[in-house]
Amino acid sequence: MTRPYVKKLSFTLLDVITDKDSAVQEQVCSALCSLGEAQPGETLRACEEYLRQHDKLAHPYRVKVLRAMETVLSSHIHELDKDTASIVILLASSEMTRTKELDCDWQRAASSVLVAVGKRFINQVMEVVLSKFQPGVLPHSSVLHTLASLSLSNAFGMVPFLPSVLSTMLPMLGMAKQDALRVVFCCALQHFSESTLEYLANLDQAPDPTVRKDTFATDIFGAYDILLHHWLQSRDAKLRLAVVAALGPMSHLLPNEKLEEQLPRLLPGVLVLYKKHVETFQISKSLGQILEAAVSVSSRTLEVQLDALLVALHTQ
């Protein structure tokens, strides 16, 4: 199929995506994905051009087009050329920040497109995303969500960016006053820590084998201090669980002496959450990670905490 034909066929399909019948909408998306199987690059370009030309298309339909693009990208990322990737990145980054709502499906769909492209074109994706992540300015929540998702989907590509991302993020934590935005920051810190641990565990395959735990220690400890001593005391249950989910993997990146110093405050702070939450899986998971980190540094503090730990765990 020639490029003009693919574009014409794509536009014909996309014109029907606003049909009142949801079954028709799904058939359009399915047809776009099938077309993308045969002609991935041309289909992606056609979808991008359609969304750009139809700026007033309502967001539920934009979401469907973005999800179809993500499906094509997930299957054919290694066939994508750099120019098409750049076009898709610019579209998705624009779509991602067009609404100020926290955590809506439009943002998630656009973010997923960026994450799919970032599995191969991480430098180009980060260049655009970091332009929306500037020092001293609270970022759009979807930017944080995208950075977090990129770190999980492509740890080897993302971890080299994390020292600068963390140093930019640290002052932002004090600026974040909304609990919902604080939750997003916690999720980002959790995923950054998880991807860093994955990277460090596989240094023999990593693009930069000189990366060390202490590269991240100062910024991780600065963030840890805010999460443990300020945000963990929040009345918002969702924020407390997000904090404890982040503290688990973060504890593995703290300098050994800092972890030892903080355990007398950290362990009771986590244990008290068992009394505040009905759903305790995340608390137990993070507690396990913290204890694993403490054992790995031969902590002398654990023996003092043992009775309280056993009582809490036996109750569970």
Side-chain angles (χ1 to χ4, degrees), residues 5-25:
Y5 181 79
V6 173
K7 177 182 170 181
K8 186 176 180 182
L9 181 54
S10 299
F11 272 45
T12 302
L13 286 167
L14 288 162
D15 281 338
V16 191
I17 205 165
T18 55
D19 193 280
K20 291 177 182 177
D21 188 340
S22 60
V24 173
Q25 296 172 20

Side-chain angles (χ1 to χ4, degrees), residues 267-280:
L267 288 171
V270 173
L271 291 177
V272 77
L273 295 181
Y274 278 126
K275 298 175 182 176
K276 297 181 180 180
H277 292 268
V278 177
E279 177 50 62
T280 58

Side-chain angles (χ1 to χ4, degrees), residues 77 113-123 125 150 153-154:
I77 189 63
V113 169
L114 286 173
V115 172
V117 181
K119 287 183 178 176
R120 182 174 167 210
F121 297 96
I122 187 70
N123 291 343
V125 171
L150 283 166
S153 71
N154 186 356

Side-chain angles (χ1 to χ4, degrees), residues 57-286:
L57 184 69
H59 91 260
Y61 308 117
R62 306 186 83 83
V63 168
K64 290 181 184 297
V65 179
L66 288 164
R67 284 177 179 161
M69 292 175 74
E70 184 205 349
T71 300
V72 174
L73 284 163
S74 298
S75 304
H76 297 280
I77 189 63
H78 293 293
E79 299 163 43
L80 201 64
D81 64 83
K82 194 172 180 180
D83 290 341
T84 304
S86 297
I87 289 168
V88 171
I89 291 165
L90 287 174
L91 169 80
S93 65
S94 170
E95 295 282 321
M96 183 177 74
T97 53
R98 279 179 60 171
T99 173
K100 295 292 183 188
E101 286 179 52
L102 278 172
D103 197 33
C104 76
D105 55 355
W106 188 5
Q107 293 169 357
R108 285 195 298 273
S111 175
S112 295
V113 169
L114 286 173
V115 172
V117 181
K119 287 183 178 176
R120 182 174 167 210
F121 297 96
I122 187 70
N123 291 343
Q124 292 90 321
V125 171
M126 286 301 291
E127 183 181 351
V128 173
V129 174
L130 289 178
S131 71
K132 299 174 182 287
F133 188 73
Q134 296 297 317
V137 182
L138 277 176
H140 196 290
S141 64
S142 62
V143 171
L144 289 170
H145 177 74
T146 301
L147 289 170
S149 299
L150 283 166
S151 72
L152 283 186
S153 71
N154 186 356
F156 282 165
M158 188 63 184
V159 166
F161 288 99
L162 286 185
S164 64
V165 169
L166 286 168
S167 62
T168 301
M169 180 190 280
L170 193 57
M172 295 173 178
L173 300 180
M175 298 162 58
K177 304 303 180 189
Q178 287 180 298
D179 285 343
L181 185 57
R182 289 178 173 184
V183 167
V184 182
F185 273 113
C186 288
C187 292
L189 285 164
Q190 176 191 348
H191 294 328
F192 292 164
S193 300
E194 289 168 348
S195 63
T196 301
L197 292 170
E198 181 188 339
Y199 190 101
L200 293 172
N202 297 282
L203 275 178
D204 56 323
Q205 304 164 41
D208 180 5
T210 64
V211 172
R212 293 289 178 266
K213 187 172 90 166
D214 55 14
T215 308
F216 311 91
T218 303
D219 288 322
I220 286 290
F221 180 69
Y224 162 91
D225 195 50
I226 291 170
L227 266 60
L228 178 65
H229 298 114
H230 299 284
W231 293 6
L232 192 60
Q233 281 69 48
S234 170
R235 293 178 181 176
D236 185 287
K238 190 174 180 183
L239 176 56
R240 288 197 302 264
L241 286 178
V243 169
V244 83
L247 290 175
M250 286 172 75
S251 65
H252 284 268
L253 295 174
L254 293 179
N256 294 358
E257 69 281 2
K258 290 290 185 186
L259 177 61
E260 181 74 357
E261 176 189 299
Q262 293 296 317
L263 281 172
R265 178 80 183 264
L266 176 58
L267 288 171
V270 173
L271 291 177
V272 77
L273 295 181
Y274 278 126
K275 298 175 182 176
K276 297 181 180 180
H277 292 268
V278 177
E279 177 50 62
T280 58
F281 167 76
Q282 189 57 67
I283 300 167
S284 297
K285 180 182 176 184
S286 289

Side-chain angles (χ1 to χ4, degrees), residues 29-55:
C29 294
S30 178
L32 278 172
C33 292
S34 298
L35 187 59
E37 282 294 312
Q39 298 283 339
E42 302 306 338
T43 305
L44 289 166
R45 281 176 173 270
C47 289
E48 182 276 337
E49 188 175 336
Y50 189 90
L51 288 177
R52 191 161 36 82
Q53 290 181 6
H54 295 76
D55 198 49

